[in-house]
Amino acid sequence: MAAEKGGRDGGVQSLQRAFELLEHLADTGGEASLSELATLSGLPMPTIHRLIRTLVDLGYVRQNNNRRYALGARLIRLGENASMQFGAWARPLLAELVDEVGETANLAVLERDEVVYVAQVPSKHSMRMFTEVGRRLLPHGTGVGKAMLSQLPVDEVAALLSRTGMPAYTEHTFTDPKALADELKKIAGQGYALDEAEQELGVRCIAVAVPGAPVPAAVSVSGPSGRLTADAVGHIAPVVQKTANRLAQQLPVG
């Protein structure tokens, strides 16, 4: 009986270590060597090698030509389904936000260096903003993306931008890393991000990061600049912050 219990415990420990290795790979930008994983995890090299080979065989990790290991394609389906479930769970709170401010509400997450919109509740105005659920954009050019980036370590933001570049969506998009870094500091200080026609001309967006989310996430309100005026930002931003905090308090964890 004791041997059986030990076997089960060993299995659970291996499962925990395997997931920790996947998280370490994600933290390094998605690619690392065995020695780097050993340093990050503190596990002995034989254990690392055994776990990685199992993850490779299952498709959750792949070995590149440079003999470094990267997150595997099989994780994509899991991540996308989890993101959509997160969006479905959050939708009632977004509906309450729309009722309170009268503009379209969105929820987005950061996935594989991109902003992915996972939920939206449109406003009742005939002229309203539609961002398709599932749409992917680079974070530097969106309010939700900047809100999420403002919560990440500076070196992680720099690494992400080096991978994605900073193409312009409009003439107002941030395309200079230094200017964006200054903007992110401002966002972190005031607690919300503004998209001033940076992703789409004529559109203003107020976005707030969801604190403590299992992945970087942000909620936003967007609308025509003529209706979502600079004066309106002052009273709408606190409402978006309240929704983000409610989302954080009700996160479906455990």
Side-chain angles (χ1 to χ4, degrees), residues 186-217:
K186 176 183 174 183
I187 292 167
Q190 67 188 13
Y192 64 89
L194 288 179
D195 171 354
E196 301 279 14
E198 296 159 40
Q199 195 269 313
E200 186 176 346
L201 291 175
V203 175
R204 178 173 281 122
C205 172
I206 306 165
V208 177
V210 178
V215 295

Side-chain angles (χ1 to χ4, degrees), residues 27 110 146 148-163 166 177-186 188:
D27 291 341
L110 190 63
K146 292 191 299 180
M148 289 185 271
L149 292 181
S150 74
Q151 303 301 301
L152 297 179
V154 173
D155 57 342
E156 287 187 24
V157 174
L160 184 151
L161 295 176
S162 70
R163 294 190 296 269
M166 298 180 65
K178 176 61 169 63
L180 180 62
D182 292 341
E183 173 77 355
L184 297 181
K185 288 180 183 177
K186 176 183 174 183

Side-chain angles (χ1 to χ4, degrees), residues 224-239:
S225 300
R227 195 167 65 226
L228 195 58
T229 63
D231 288 340
V233 169
H235 70 264
I236 290 179
V239 182

Side-chain angles (χ1 to χ4, degrees), residues 75-96:
L75 289 168
I76 295 173
R77 181 173 64 89
L78 298 181
E80 289 179 345
N81 276 279
S83 294
M84 293 308 164
Q85 287 296 317
F86 182 31
W89 164 81
R91 202 172 186 280
L93 287 178
L94 297 183
E96 292 181 24

Side-chain angles (χ1 to χ4, degrees), residues 70-157:
L71 296 175
R74 196 167 181 183
L75 289 168
I76 295 173
R77 181 173 64 89
L78 298 181
E80 289 179 345
N81 276 279
S83 294
M84 293 308 164
Q85 287 296 317
F86 182 31
W89 164 81
R91 202 172 186 280
L93 287 178
L94 297 183
E96 292 181 24
L97 178 57
V98 172
D99 287 343
E100 189 162 355
V101 303
E103 300 293 349
T104 298
N106 308 282
L107 178 68
V109 299
L110 190 63
E111 185 179 278
R112 304 200 306 277
D113 290 349
E114 294 176 313
V115 165
V116 184
Y117 289 89
V118 296
Q120 181 187 87
V121 176
S123 78
K124 296 177 175 62
H125 292 289
S126 58
M127 180 182 293
R128 56 187 184 267
M129 300 299 104
F130 280 112
T131 297
E132 304 87 351
V133 170
R135 186 181 186 189
R136 291 177 173 271
L137 294 166
L138 296 179
H140 73 282
T142 66
V144 286
K146 292 191 299 180
M148 289 185 271
L149 292 181
S150 74
Q151 303 301 301
L152 297 179
V154 173
D155 57 342
E156 287 187 24
V157 174

